[in-house]
Amino acid sequence: MPRGFDVAVVGGGVGGAACALQLARSGAAVVLFERETEPRHKVCGEFLSAEGLRTLAETGVDLDAIGASRIARFRLHGPRLSAESLLPAECRGLSRLRLDESLIAAAAAAGVQVVRGWTVRASERNADAFEIPAGNDRFFAKDLVCATGKADFGGTPRREGRDGNLVGFKFHLELAPAAAGELTGHVELFAFAGGYAGLCAVEGAVANLCFLLDRALAKEVPKSADGLCAWISLRHRELRRRLFGAVPRFEHPVTIARVPYGFVRRRPLGARMYCIGDQAAVIPSLTGDGMTIALVTARQAARFIAGSRGCDRAAEYHAELARFAAPQIGFGYRLHQAFRVPSWIDAAAGLVRLAPRSVAWAFRKTRVPLWAIQNHQSSGGSELFTGRIVEGSYKV
């Protein structure tokens, strides 16, 4: 049965759900495709920076109500030296499972049609709209938002990053009381031979451990979360202390490989196709800016669509995105390279001890300031929340 919409959003993660929500609130008819039939965990540091929080606030999701932790301080651990500093602004920790589902629920409440359990492998555009087959249904939309995260969108060229020789792991755990107390209010980074790890509290008494390993080293890791927790503890003295007595909440870790770190999409995939989140730009995990990129690109894509008045502005959106994002993505990648040399992180920890403000400088250099575009004339500005995006919905 054919169904017509103004916008189709492919991917129900942070960016996709937030974009669908904002478009629906502006009056657009939106369909959101999410391949998973039920909530699931994803490899992510689960750290929300202050810039992302400003954008997330517009969605109306109540972070206190869903248990997000508060993070005000940063600890850096090299192989021999550690340092601590205040963050430039308060940040939050929250699991992707809980945040994604909260945004999907808000989008559905705003009128978005959510189609779960269906992977959009390809879409064809005729003179008027994209046609997306889904089971026995056919969906039509004038604009398409690609929000498939680190997964490639079917039929499109593979994204090429600068360092694809890493494997990511993530699992939740309950820390022993003393370790949980030390972690409260902090996000921590640990550099060791062959990789690096991040640790922060998320909702409740749960901590998220997310780490990257060289592909060769990743082949040695145990398959179970219990075994992996013990194995990763041996990589770093401070991490071992933090994980002593910890109980994993997962039976097996969540993993991902071939992440295209350093990628910035400078041109659209096609006419009226807007890429957001990791489909738009992939910053290394240690910066803690991945979810923020998803949120701000979602907001910006919605603004461009809102201001399009029936025209194709995808090329303009991507050019603007690259202009603002590329410098920060580049700096984040250089930090990522430094973390591949653990002795350099000892030197960095020494610098933080001598000059704590260097942390604020590094954070500022790795924040993608796409929120600064929000009042740019070309973005459509206030049109997002006034009236319909297009004159009427697409008619089949």
Side-chain angles (χ1 to χ4, degrees):
M1 176 180 176
R3 305 183 186 184
F5 294 86
D6 296 322
V7 187
V9 179
V10 182
V14 172
C19 189
L21 170 62
Q22 293 183 68
L23 287 166
R25 284 180 176 170
S26 72
V30 184
V31 59
L32 171 66
F33 296 92
E34 167 52 41
R35 67 180 180 178
E36 300 296 332
T37 57
E38 57 187 27
R40 73 176 183 93
H41 289 282
K42 300 168 185 174
V43 178
C44 180
E46 301 185 332
F47 174 87
L48 278 162
S49 68
E51 292 79 10
L53 292 175
R54 295 188 191 114
T55 308
L56 186 60
E58 295 179 0
T59 69
V61 170
D62 187 339
L63 292 177
D64 291 325
I66 57 179
S69 69
R70 295 182 179 275
I71 300 172
R73 301 187 69 85
F74 167 68
R75 289 195 188 109
L76 178 64
H77 302 286
R80 297 180 178 82
L81 194 64
S82 298
E84 181 172 333
S85 172
L86 277 169
L87 292 172
E90 184 180 74
C91 304
R92 308 296 291 264
L94 183 65
S95 72
R96 280 291 305 277
L97 184 150
R98 190 167 289 192
L99 178 58
D100 289 3
E101 291 306 310
S102 296
L103 286 167
I104 288 176
V112 174
Q113 176 161 346
V114 179
V115 179
R116 299 197 75 140
W118 187 264
T119 300
V120 178
R121 302 194 183 280
S123 62
E124 296 183 1
R125 181 174 178 82
N126 56 32
D128 299 311
F130 292 95
E131 179 178 350
I132 302 171
N136 295 324
D137 291 330
R138 287 183 302 143
F139 294 84
F140 295 85
K142 293 181 179 179
D143 293 284
L144 186 143
V145 176
C146 181
T148 57
K150 293 179 174 64
D152 287 320
F153 184 52
T156 62
R158 180 178 293 275
R159 288 160 295 167
E160 294 298 332
R162 301 185 192 178
D163 190 350
N165 193 37
L166 294 165
V167 180
F169 297 82
K170 171 262 188 79
F171 58 91
H172 285 174
L173 38 79
E174 294 180 29
L175 301 180
E182 284 193 65
L183 183 62
T184 298
H186 294 76
V187 61
E188 298 186 286
L189 286 177
F190 306 82
F192 49 81
Y196 58 81
L199 184 68
C200 73
V202 287
E203 61 270 9
V206 176
N208 177 44
L209 178 64
C210 192
F211 52 96
L212 286 171
L213 300 175
D214 288 329
R215 187 179 294 273
L217 186 60
K219 294 178 180 179
E220 302 177 9
V221 305
K223 302 299 182 185
S224 69
D226 278 324
L228 184 52
C229 186
W231 184 90
I232 195 68
S233 295
L234 301 177
R235 309 306 300 181
H236 195 287
R237 58 181 177 80
E238 284 296 325
L239 190 55
R240 180 164 60 251
R241 200 165 66 83
R242 206 67 83 238
L243 299 183
F244 181 77
V247 179
R249 297 282 295 266
F250 296 2
E251 183 178 355
H252 302 286
V254 186
T255 63
I256 192 169
R258 298 189 67 179
V259 179
Y261 290 122
F263 171 82
V264 177
R265 194 180 297 281
R266 300 175 184 277
R267 288 176 290 277
L269 291 170
R272 303 186 78 139
M273 294 181 71
Y274 299 77
C275 291
I276 64 175
D278 284 335
Q279 284 293 323
V282 186
I283 197 164
S285 305
L286 66 91
T287 66
D289 210 37
M291 286 201 286
T292 293
I293 290 175
L295 288 163
V296 293
T297 52
R299 185 182 198 275
Q300 197 63 7
R303 284 178 173 271
F304 268 83
I305 294 171
S308 68
R309 301 189 183 280
C311 299
D312 178 12
R313 300 187 66 195
E316 186 182 350
Y317 158 78
H318 282 282
E320 191 96 307
L321 180 150
R323 183 166 67 88
F324 278 82
Q328 280 69 29
I329 298 288
F331 185 82
Y333 184 76
R334 289 192 289 276
L335 281 183
H336 165 83
Q337 288 180 303
F339 264 76
R340 306 298 302 279
V341 185
S343 60
W344 291 5
I345 306 308
D346 278 332
L351 175 63
V352 171
R353 286 184 173 188
L354 291 172
R357 291 185 179 181
S358 60
V359 171
W361 176 82
F363 264 72
R364 186 172 63 252
K365 292 285 285 184
T366 56
R367 299 306 98 179
V368 178
L370 295 174
W371 54 267
I373 316 174
Q374 62 191 21
N375 294 319
H376 195 281
Q377 281 188 339
S378 68
S379 70
S382 61
E383 294 179 18
L384 179 59
F385 296 105
T386 57
R388 291 191 59 77
I389 287 182
V390 292
E391 291 299 325
S393 298
Y394 178 79
K395 302 298 182 184
V396 178

